[in-house]
Amino acid sequence: MTRKVGVIGIGHVGSAVVHHIITDGFADDIVLIDVNGDKVKADATDFEDAMANLTKHTNIIVNDYAALADADVVISAVGKISLQKDNKEHDRFIELPFTKNAVKDVSKKLRESGFHGVLIDITNPCDVITMMYQRFTGFPKHKVIGTGTLLDSARMRRAVSAKLKIDPRSVVGYNLGEHGNSQFTAWSTVRVLGRPITEIAKKRDIDLKELDETARAGGYTVYHGKHYTNYGIASAAVRLAAIIVSDARAELPVSNWNEEYNTYLSYPAIVGRDGVVEQTELQLTDVEKEKLAASAKYIRTRFEDTIKGME
């Protein structure tokens, strides 16, 4: 069976996603779509040149929505990073005036293409846009997923590992809620080499609030240095796509529909070929539950305010 992935939006993030997929070689076909025809054709040629020095081959298709009909996964990397130029509040909603209209247009084309795989959203503000994609496409909720705090959780693991001088893959745990300013690290879920981080922090006098802010501000640090972020989010999206294509059924903190809060938000779920297979249940503290509820309310309110007049 042919493994096919589509990427819509071949900017800084989209091109990093495509390069990662081609280098890994887990897709047989990849469809590149962008409104800038010259740019996407140039990237396609560049990727084909790269493949001459790679061990695996990937067929590249350019600007053909019809080719997405049998795709396993489509990744939305649509965005307009120039809108972030004067974003002193580090608010991902600054892109919304552009992305909300782009999403409506892309959703129509995805429906018309006959695509019936799993849609992964990177586009910001991630949770609201993921919810808009589901509303405008009409796809089943379990088949529309945002990368959410998969990246933020990685930033938390990096911050913890740097503090403790260990490999970040030895840290497990989650950031929850919005992929944005209302997210938080659920320290009750974090383990380092099998031990609760709360126990380690107490013994070593580590300030978890400081680490939480380091994780939250990770994207801003990268942005201020080069005026965009791409490698971290690309790795998160590609990891999610590979899990779907291979039906790995892995637990990930992705933005998925939550019935309790009536919104999309990041909370661990089992992900496989059919999208979200099962939602897990965390034993959060009362404070963490309050933070999650507040983040959920914020996402839902912003979605409702945005969707007015668009349907």
Side-chain angles (χ1 to χ4, degrees):
M1 186 175 74
T2 301
R3 302 163 301 172
K4 182 184 283 188
V5 175
V7 181
I8 302 176
I10 313 299
H12 292 302
V13 176
S15 58
V17 167
V18 176
H19 184 253
H20 199 332
I21 292 172
I22 289 173
T23 302
D24 283 359
F26 71 81
D28 302 304
D29 296 340
I30 189 163
V31 183
L32 279 55
I33 292 179
D34 195 279
V35 293
N36 186 335
D38 291 338
K39 166 68 163 58
V40 71
K41 289 175 184 176
D43 273 330
T45 301
D46 209 1
F47 291 134
E48 287 170 346
D49 289 342
M51 277 190 280
N53 285 312
L54 298 177
T55 58
K56 298 179 182 179
H57 178 79
T58 307
N59 298 307
I60 298 177
I61 303 162
V62 176
N63 272 353
D64 184 2
Y65 268 94
L68 298 176
D70 59 347
D72 299 288
V73 176
V74 166
I75 300 171
S76 167
V78 175
K80 197 166 187 179
I81 196 65
S82 61
L83 294 173
Q84 294 277 356
K85 184 178 179 182
D86 298 315
N87 188 8
K88 296 179 181 178
E89 299 299 320
H90 302 123
D91 186 358
R92 292 173 176 87
F93 278 86
I94 201 167
E95 288 190 67
L96 187 58
F98 170 79
T99 56
K100 68 179 184 180
N101 294 315
V103 164
K104 190 170 186 180
D105 179 61
V106 170
S107 294
K108 179 176 183 294
K109 292 174 180 176
L110 278 175
R111 289 198 315 270
E112 293 172 346
S113 75
F115 171 67
H116 55 276
V118 178
L119 176 59
I120 296 174
D121 173 50
I122 298 174
T123 298
N124 276 324
C126 185
D127 307 281
V128 167
I129 291 296
T130 303
M131 193 149 35
M132 290 180 69
Y133 263 127
Q134 194 282 321
R135 177 71 67 88
F136 288 141
T137 61
F139 296 159
K141 290 184 175 72
H142 66 276
K143 285 196 168 188
V144 183
I145 308 172
T147 46
T149 60
L150 183 56
L151 173 58
D152 306 290
S153 297
R155 286 171 173 158
M156 176 273 292
R157 290 162 60 201
R158 171 183 56 78
V160 171
S161 68
K163 188 72 172 180
L164 298 178
K165 296 180 173 57
I166 59 173
D167 191 298
R169 289 168 294 186
S170 296
V171 181
V172 297
Y174 305 116
N175 279 41
L176 303 178
E178 178 202 10
H179 175 57
N181 292 336
S182 69
Q183 68 167 279
F184 65 98
T185 302
W187 292 116
S188 66
T189 70
V190 181
R191 299 287 186 275
V192 179
L193 299 174
R195 297 169 57 198
I197 184 65
T198 50
E199 175 186 309
I200 296 172
K202 186 175 182 180
K203 287 184 178 180
R204 300 196 186 186
D205 194 27
I206 296 172
D207 186 350
L208 293 182
K209 289 184 179 180
E210 181 182 327
L211 289 180
D212 191 19
E213 185 55 33
T214 299
R216 189 196 313 274
Y220 316 149
T221 302
V222 174
Y223 177 80
H224 287 307
K226 64 180 188 179
H227 305 298
Y228 61 90
T229 63
N230 59 336
Y231 298 127
I233 185 58
S235 293
V238 172
R239 180 187 179 197
L240 179 53
I243 283 169
I244 292 167
V245 170
S246 64
D247 197 28
R249 297 188 173 227
E251 183 182 75
L252 299 172
V254 292
S255 187
N256 62 104
W257 178 257
N258 189 293
E259 287 290 345
E260 179 181 356
Y261 295 109
N262 193 35
T263 188
Y264 271 83
L265 56 76
S266 281
Y267 196 91
I270 307 300
V271 179
R273 184 173 295 124
D274 204 35
V276 173
V277 178
E278 178 185 349
Q279 290 179 321
T280 58
E281 187 67 34
L282 298 175
Q283 299 301 313
L284 301 176
T285 67
D286 290 342
V287 171
E288 289 169 346
K289 289 177 182 177
E290 290 175 4
K291 289 181 178 180
L292 186 62
S295 189
K297 182 179 179 180
Y298 178 74
I299 295 167
R300 183 71 199 183
T301 299
R302 294 302 299 262
F303 168 75
E304 291 174 347
D305 289 344
T306 302
I307 208 73
K308 290 175 183 176
M310 291 191 68
E311 295 181 297

